[in-house]
Amino acid sequence: MALRDILILPDKRLRLVSEPVKKIDTDVKKLVEDMFETMYDAPGIGLAAIQVGVARRIITMDLSKKDEDKERRVFINPEIVWSSDEKDVHEEGCLSIPEYYEDVERPAQVRVKYLDLHGREHALEASGLLAICLQHEIDHTNGVLFIDHISKLKRDRITKKFSKAAKRAVEG
Ligand code: NI
């Protein structure tokens, strides 16, 4: 296992649409291991492969609480096949937009199809934090960030802030 660097806004690769995984080979399994290590280290509850610079439709997630056993979830080629009309507002953050949190409105329930690491197909009905996290991470596989769901004013403000920080880092 190895830690990978997490891409930070405004890195253009975060806007790529990721490719479906055709074969779950050792490269994919190694990537998933690295993603878990990187996610736990951050720490975060969800990570999409593009956030470590790999444009493939892979998500890792662990929503267990600190005092609970780890519950590693892997979603390969996840796809939202149904979402509820009922909406829910929840504060979100993102490892690619560190230390920024904002309320986001999304469908309260979703149904998601995906493959596990053995290539088996699953369908999952999700609500609560799992539904939010799945939508947030699946957005990443489509080049969408949670700030795309907030007001333009707020989005422009945070994008400008991160662009300035990136420029300062380059200029040293
Ligand atoms: Ni994110």
Side-chain angles (χ1 to χ4, degrees):
M1 292 213 293
L3 276 181
R4 302 213 186 187
D5 289 333
I6 295 176
L7 306 186
I8 303 294
L9 185 76
D11 195 306
K12 286 191 172 64
R13 287 171 288 176
L14 290 169
R15 293 307 189 174
L16 291 174
V17 176
S18 294
E19 295 288 334
V21 174
K22 291 202 182 82
K23 190 164 176 278
I24 301 167
D25 53 17
T26 51
D27 279 356
V28 168
K29 286 174 184 166
K30 166 100 177 48
L31 172 64
V32 166
E33 286 304 312
D34 289 355
M35 284 172 66
F36 272 115
E37 189 177 350
T38 305
M39 184 182 90
Y40 287 129
D41 178 74
I45 57 174
L47 190 71
I50 190 58
Q51 290 182 275
V52 293
V54 181
R56 307 186 76 175
R57 306 181 82 83
I58 302 170
I59 289 166
T60 55
M61 198 181 290
D62 188 338
L63 304 180
S64 63
K65 300 202 177 71
K66 269 187 195 143
D67 53 339
E68 294 174 344
D69 289 338
K70 282 193 166 69
E71 196 185 350
R72 291 161 53 124
R73 298 170 183 265
V74 181
F75 302 92
I76 294 172
N77 299 341
E79 188 189 342
I80 295 170
V81 291
W82 171 83
S83 47
S84 65
D85 292 331
E86 187 198 340
K87 305 273 199 256
D88 216 348
V89 177
H90 197 276
E91 189 179 73
E92 295 186 25
C94 181
L95 293 176
S96 295
I97 314 171
E99 285 159 51
Y100 180 71
Y101 304 91
E102 193 55 67
D103 281 347
V104 177
E105 187 185 78
R106 297 183 186 270
Q109 286 106 33
V110 288
R111 191 173 172 79
V112 173
K113 258 179 31 182
Y114 65 97
L115 301 178
D116 64 21
L117 265 184
H118 306 286
R120 286 189 293 249
E121 196 172 303
H122 296 266
L124 173 69
E125 195 107 16
S127 60
L129 184 59
L130 178 59
I132 291 156
C133 204
L134 277 167
Q135 291 175 83
H136 178 118
E137 301 307 334
I138 290 172
D139 268 357
H140 274 301
T141 68
N142 293 316
V144 175
L145 300 171
F146 85 91
I147 53 171
D148 298 341
H149 297 290
I150 65 178
S151 75
K152 186 178 183 308
L153 186 74
K154 285 176 181 169
R155 180 167 60 251
D156 287 350
R157 197 184 295 151
I158 193 66
T159 305
K160 200 179 278 179
K161 191 180 158 199
F162 274 81
S163 298
K164 274 187 188 163
K167 215 174 149 216
R168 269 200 306 275
V170 169
E171 286 164 356

